[in-house]
């Protein structure tokens, strides 16, 4: 396609094709891996293939419109914002409504263990443009572009609220330095679909939207589970069960393309495969350590949401933790807490074990077991290293650091401290100098931290019991009737948690807000004193303690973000966008692109969410909270909240599924 422009002399001249049309595609994955070429419409089982061809699905009166674009992500493809925004077909290209010249759209076939059970799944349309990446090219994917053979009972569409969350979080993680799949653009349209986010029988129309995602590959653990034999529990099996030839093919492709150093290093196939599995294990352990360090909870850590490259993929009901709570669950559908914050490292190891099983005879089970046994050590070492940086412990590694970190998290939990803001404040704690001004400074920091702690009412809610009342009553009754049995049961992790909550609740029920603040202040004074003793060792045998202190503060402020994508911040942007105002999405993107700086944009206050919408991302605000939404709407006229603020009370009503 050529576009015409008028030359200086008034004549018409042919203008070169647009930057999007100049993207070079080699579609190598479709050439090296089995491709099903059928364009039969609708959902179906595809056997003996890793991909299926698909076609763009524009549906009148589809009018794609850009909501936002990411300069950083587009730069990976050699593009800038103007390249796509000024292209007359830019929104169509990046929403999958029109094929980019040279691209070959295809959907990826994969399965996965979802909440522990094997199911068949499928991915979105993608192609491979050549550019600079670890393997020399990037794969681009349009998520929500329509039906594929793997859509099952779905329509293959993604709605605006969940698309905004995925787009913003992809870019937030990129800026935080956490391996991710960047999002180049977010496009919406005037096509609507019905969605019942809570399966409550009350669907509502929502705008279809598409997120452009970028990665070297979107191959995941679940890509190898299409060969899964019949599952003993569910009776399900992968669509290509028994096709060990294709399994070998995809394994060779992944290692040769994305782990070339492993391919070069090993002549023996089994040794090569074991080395590959160990590298995936290491990358996964490091990834989840990074998640934990910023309070990120993925929400749906199924095997089909685990990247073979150790990237964060598939942002659904994720959440950045506000008040520190090891049991934090971001996905309201996860009733049993399978994917809670504290469970994430263990779930990742479990998923790796499923990958080892899926590789079958390509990986010796004994070697896989040995590698899996290393996972928690790798994770813990990486996590401790990150936590040392977050605390500014740069010059020494001392055994007591493990206890210092554990005591910090315990203090945060007991006091209900805000995870992000508390870490950010700790850079203001000074090294001990024995002067009154340092003690005064420390006291002021403690007061600021106490200001980030939970209220009495919030802590009562946070310590609600999750065990069935009858079951708990029976356990407590054994304390008198059978103390020996009680001691055995009480040592079980889940029971111990419930008993600990009972103890906290008893304490909370007999104190008032003022007394609570006194206790919170005491807890933080005790820990800060412990922290300052450790900081003193950082200055041992140094000629310029001031320079060491300056570097510590600089390092902490470049490791502890000032802002993360909290649910209430995302909800503000969602509600504005659903009213047709995309400016808040664009403004928030700018803030999230610089999470470690306290800029004018960061301090710019945002209105509290108050449109009365009952939706809140992959989800919504509970129906019973509609009245609270109405109150928030009225409050929005007078109340503003900065991006780096501790969340307001109403933010706790936001529910993501």
């Amino acid at each position: 396609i050529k576009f015409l422009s008028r030359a200086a002399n008034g004549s018409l001249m042919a203008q070169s094709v647009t930057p999007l049309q100049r993207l070079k595609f080699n579609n190598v994955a479709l050439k090296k891996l089995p491709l099903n070429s059928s364009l039969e419409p609708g959902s179906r089982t595809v056997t003996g293939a890793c991909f299926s061809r698909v076609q763009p699905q524009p549906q009148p009166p589809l009018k794609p419109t850009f909501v936002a674009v990411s300069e950083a992500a587009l730069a990976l493809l050699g593009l800038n914002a103007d390249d796509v925004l000024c292209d007359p077909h830019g929104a169509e290209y990046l929403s999958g409504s029109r094929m980019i010249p040279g691209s070959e759209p295809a959907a990826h076939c994969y399965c996965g263990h979802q909440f522990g059970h094997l199911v068949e799944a499928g991915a979105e349309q993608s192609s491979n443009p050549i550019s600079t990446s670890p393997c020399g090219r990037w794969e681009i994917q349009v998520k929500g572009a329509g039906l594929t053979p793997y859509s099952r009972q779905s329509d293959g569409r993604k709605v605006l609220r969940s698309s905004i969350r995925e787009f913003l979080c992809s870019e937030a993680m990129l800026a935080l330095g956490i391996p991710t799949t960047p999002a180049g653009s977010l496009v919406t349209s005037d096509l609507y679909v019905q969605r019942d986010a809570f399966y409550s029988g009350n669907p509502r129309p929502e705008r279809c939207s598409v997120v452009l995602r970028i990665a070297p590959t979107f191959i995941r653990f679940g890509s190898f589970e299409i060969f899964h034999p019949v599952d003993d529990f569910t009776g399900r099996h992968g669509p290509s069960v028994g096709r060990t030839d294709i399994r070998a093919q995809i394994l060779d492709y992944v290692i040769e393309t994305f782990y070339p150093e492993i391919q070069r290093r090993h002549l023996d196939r089994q040794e090569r495969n074991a080395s590959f599995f160990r590298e995936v294990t290491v990358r996964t352990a490091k990834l989840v350590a990074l998640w934990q360090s910023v309070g990120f909870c993925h929400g749906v850590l199924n095997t089909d949401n685990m990247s073979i490259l150790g990237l964060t993929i598939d942002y659904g009901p994720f959440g950045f933790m506000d008040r520190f709570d090891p049991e934090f669950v971001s996905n309201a559908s996860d009733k049993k807490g399978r994917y809670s914050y504290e469970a994430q490292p263990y779930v990742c190891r479990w998923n790796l074990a499923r990958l080892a099983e899926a590789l079958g005879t390509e990986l010796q089970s004994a070697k896989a077991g040995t590698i899996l046994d290393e996972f928690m050590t790798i994770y813990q070492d990486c996590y401790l290293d990150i936590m040392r940086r977050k605390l500014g412990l740069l010059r020494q590694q001392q055994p007591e650091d493990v206890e210092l970190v554990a005591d910090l998290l315990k203090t945060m939990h007991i006091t209900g401290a805000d995870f992000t803001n508390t870490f950010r404040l700790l850079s203001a704690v000074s090294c001990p100098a024995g002067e009154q001004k340092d003690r005064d400074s420390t006291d002021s920091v403690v007061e600021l931290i106490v200001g980030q702690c939970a209220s009495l009412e919030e802590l009562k809610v946070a310590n609600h019991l999750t065990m069935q009342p009858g079951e708990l009553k029976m356990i407590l009754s054994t304390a008198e009737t059978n103390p020996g049995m009680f001691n055995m049961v009480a040592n079980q992790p889940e029971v111990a948690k419930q008993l600990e909550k009972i103890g906290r609740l008893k304490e909370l029920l007999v104190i008032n807000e003022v007394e609570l603040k006194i206790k919170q202040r005491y807890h933080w004074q005790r820990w800060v004193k412990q922290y300052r003793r450790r900081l003193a060792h950082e200055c041992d045998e140094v000629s310029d303690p001031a320079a060491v202190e300056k570097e510590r503060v600089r390092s902490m402020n470049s490791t502890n973000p000032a802002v993360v994508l909290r649910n209430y911040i995302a909800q503000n942007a969602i509600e504005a966008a659903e009213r047709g105002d995309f400016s808040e999405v664009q403004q928030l993107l700018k803030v999230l692109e610089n999470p470690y700086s306290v800029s004018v944009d960061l301090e710019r206050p945002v209105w509290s969410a108050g449109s009365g919408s009952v939706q809140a991302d992959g989800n919504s605000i509970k129906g019973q909270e509609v009245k609270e939404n109405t109150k928030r709407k009225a409050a929005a006229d007078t109340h503003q909240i900065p991006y780096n603020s501790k969340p307001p009370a109403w933010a706790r009503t936001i529910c993501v599924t």
Side-chain angles (χ1 to χ4, degrees):
I1 300 173
K2 290 188 177 181
F3 300 95
L4 299 177
S5 64
R6 190 169 296 278
N9 60 8
S11 63
L12 289 174
M13 57 176 283
Q15 189 180 49
S16 61
V17 294
T18 66
L20 272 173
Q21 295 166 339
R22 284 199 299 269
L23 283 176
K24 295 181 179 179
F25 291 83
N26 61 13
N27 304 301
V28 66
L30 306 186
K31 296 172 183 175
K32 292 193 173 184
L33 296 174
L35 171 67
N36 180 277
S37 296
S38 172
L39 294 176
E40 177 187 346
S43 177
R44 65 184 188 276
T45 299
V46 177
T47 63
C50 297
F51 298 96
S52 293
R53 288 200 185 279
V54 291
Q55 291 294 326
Q57 298 172 37
Q59 295 185 20
L62 186 68
K63 294 179 182 177
T65 304
F66 281 110
V67 175
V69 298
S70 165
E71 288 273 11
L74 290 174
L76 299 174
L77 305 178
L79 300 170
N80 60 44
D82 286 342
D83 290 338
V84 299
L85 295 176
C86 296
D87 190 314
H89 298 297
E92 294 176 85
Y93 285 142
L94 299 188
S95 65
S97 303
R98 179 188 291 257
M99 284 178 56
I100 304 175
S103 66
E104 296 182 25
H108 179 39
C109 180
Y110 56 79
C111 294
H113 280 80
Q114 299 183 0
F115 286 89
H117 305 302
L118 181 70
V119 298
E120 185 176 358
E124 303 72 23
Q125 302 173 24
S126 59
S127 286
N128 298 88
I130 302 173
S131 187
T132 302
S133 87
C135 62
R137 64 181 175 277
W138 294 99
E139 186 169 294
I140 60 175
Q141 184 184 84
V142 281
K143 184 172 183 178
L147 281 170
T148 76
Y150 316 113
S151 296
R152 292 174 288 181
Q153 284 74 46
S154 179
D155 52 26
R157 297 292 179 181
K158 190 171 172 67
V159 296
L160 183 59
R161 58 183 162 82
S162 57
S163 297
I164 287 173
R165 283 174 54 90
E166 175 141 22
F167 173 78
L168 290 174
C169 196
S170 298
E171 293 310 282
M173 296 291 266
L174 182 66
L176 287 169
I178 297 175
T180 185
T181 47
S185 65
L186 169 56
V187 177
T188 193
S189 70
D190 58 4
L191 178 66
Y192 282 76
V193 291
Q194 293 287 325
R195 287 291 185 267
D196 182 1
F198 282 99
Y199 312 102
S200 61
N202 297 302
R204 72 178 180 106
E206 298 191 59
R207 295 177 73 174
C208 292
S209 303
V210 175
V211 177
L212 179 81
R213 306 196 300 178
I214 304 169
T217 183
F218 285 93
I219 291 176
R220 55 202 68 204
F221 293 10
S223 303
F224 292 91
E225 292 190 287
I226 64 172
F227 316 106
H228 200 289
V230 176
D231 185 77
D232 292 336
F233 185 79
T234 65
R236 300 189 183 108
H237 60 79
S240 295
V241 59
R243 292 298 304 270
T244 56
D245 56 326
I246 300 179
R247 184 178 65 194
Q249 201 173 345
I250 189 172
L251 182 60
D252 289 344
Y253 169 74
V254 167
I255 297 176
E256 291 169 6
T257 308
F258 307 108
Y259 295 90
E261 69 288 350
I262 291 176
Q263 179 68 25
R264 289 192 297 266
R265 200 163 59 235
H266 298 283
L267 297 177
D268 179 82
R269 184 176 184 85
Q270 284 288 335
E271 289 297 325
R272 181 202 69 167
N273 295 348
S275 181
F276 157 73
F277 183 68
R278 188 179 193 282
E279 180 61 23
V280 175
T281 298
V282 170
R283 292 190 186 191
T284 302
K286 290 181 176 179
L287 177 67
V288 71
L290 286 166
W291 289 350
Q292 303 299 93
S293 74
V294 294
F296 175 78
C297 195
H298 186 281
V300 277
L301 272 180
N302 305 323
T303 55
D304 53 297
N305 291 335
M306 298 287 294
S307 165
I308 204 69
L309 299 184
L311 309 174
T312 314
I313 59 174
D314 291 342
Y315 296 93
F318 67 84
F320 283 89
M321 186 163 49
D322 295 323
R323 170 183 52 79
F324 178 72
D325 179 5
E327 298 179 53
F328 171 65
V329 175
S330 62
N331 182 358
S333 299
D334 185 6
K335 302 300 183 183
K336 296 184 178 180
R338 177 181 175 84
Y339 298 144
S340 69
Y341 170 79
E342 66 180 351
Q344 289 187 134
Y346 304 97
V347 171
C348 285
R349 185 194 180 282
W350 190 90
N351 288 342
L352 282 161
R354 303 292 76 74
L355 173 62
E357 289 177 358
L359 292 174
T361 56
E362 292 286 355
L363 179 65
Q364 294 175 2
S365 58
K367 285 199 172 181
T370 300
I371 294 168
L372 288 169
D373 287 342
E374 300 173 11
F375 176 85
M376 288 308 298
T377 299
I378 298 169
Y379 160 74
Q380 289 165 353
D381 288 347
C382 184
Y383 177 74
L384 181 58
D385 182 59
I386 297 170
M387 296 305 282
R388 282 191 174 110
R389 294 201 302 273
K390 287 176 74 69
L391 293 176
L393 308 179
L394 309 177
R395 301 186 69 253
Q396 298 183 28
Q397 295 183 2
Q398 298 192 358
E400 68 191 55
D401 295 345
V402 175
E403 183 180 356
L404 181 68
V405 171
D407 286 347
L408 168 61
L409 297 181
K410 182 178 179 181
T411 303
M412 291 177 77
H413 190 202
I414 292 172
T415 62
D418 185 89
F419 185 83
T420 300
N421 291 352
T422 299
F423 270 109
R424 185 73 181 185
L425 286 169
L426 290 180
S427 65
V429 175
S430 61
C431 273
E435 299 179 12
Q436 182 63 40
K437 64 176 182 178
D438 287 326
R439 288 195 294 272
D440 292 343
S441 173
T442 298
D443 289 343
S444 66
V445 175
V446 168
E447 287 305 309
L448 289 172
I449 294 175
V450 170
Q452 295 296 322
C453 293
S455 67
L456 181 60
E457 202 56 41
E458 186 179 357
L459 285 176
K460 287 178 182 178
V461 173
N463 284 283
H464 74 280
L465 304 179
T466 55
M467 186 176 286
Q468 290 295 325
E471 185 179 359
L472 187 60
K473 184 177 180 180
M474 182 179 67
I475 292 172
L476 292 174
S477 67
T478 62
E480 295 181 2
T481 60
N482 193 337
M485 177 64 73
F486 174 77
N487 289 333
M488 290 176 59
V489 174
N491 286 327
Q492 295 178 6
E494 184 55 37
V495 177
K497 285 181 184 177
Q498 299 300 310
L499 295 176
E500 187 177 347
K501 286 183 176 181
I502 290 174
R504 287 191 197 136
L505 272 174
K506 284 182 177 179
E507 180 181 337
L508 293 170
L509 290 171
V510 297
I511 63 174
N512 58 36
E513 195 73 49
V514 173
E515 292 169 327
L516 174 65
K517 290 303 174 187
I518 292 172
K519 286 179 176 292
Q520 290 173 333
R521 187 174 296 108
Y522 165 77
H523 285 302
W524 280 108
Q525 286 172 337
R526 183 184 59 80
W527 185 84
V528 168
K529 184 177 181 181
Q530 179 185 359
Y531 177 44
R532 295 186 78 220
R533 283 199 301 268
R534 175 61 180 85
L535 286 179
H537 292 300
E538 291 292 297
C539 294
D540 287 348
E541 300 178 4
V542 297
S543 58
D544 191 353
V548 172
E549 177 75 348
K550 184 178 180 180
E551 174 58 20
R552 176 184 72 87
V553 172
R554 185 205 64 78
S555 176
M556 290 179 71
N557 287 339
S558 62
T559 305
N560 297 311
V563 63
V564 292
L565 183 61
R566 300 176 189 262
N567 276 340
Y568 83 94
I569 296 176
Q571 182 63 11
N572 286 326
I574 290 166
E575 293 189 0
E578 288 183 331
R579 296 191 300 269
D581 178 6
F582 304 147
S583 63
E584 183 58 28
V585 175
Q586 296 159 4
Q587 173 65 26
L588 182 51
L589 175 62
K590 291 180 182 178
V591 171
L592 295 172
E593 287 174 337
N594 297 283
Y596 299 105
S597 64
V598 180
S599 64
V600 174
D601 287 336
L602 178 61
E603 297 293 351
R604 171 183 176 270
V606 295
W607 294 106
S608 60
S611 70
S613 165
V614 296
Q615 296 294 333
D617 153 47
N619 333 319
S620 76
I621 297 176
K622 298 176 182 177
Q624 60 266 36
E625 303 298 340
V626 173
K627 288 185 178 179
E628 286 299 318
N629 270 345
T630 304
K631 294 178 183 177
R632 284 161 43 198
K633 184 175 181 180
D637 294 332
T638 57
H639 187 51
Q640 294 179 315
I641 307 165
Y643 289 115
N644 60 343
S645 169
K646 176 187 172 186
W650 56 257
R652 296 196 298 274
T653 67
I654 296 176
C655 183
V656 181
T657 60

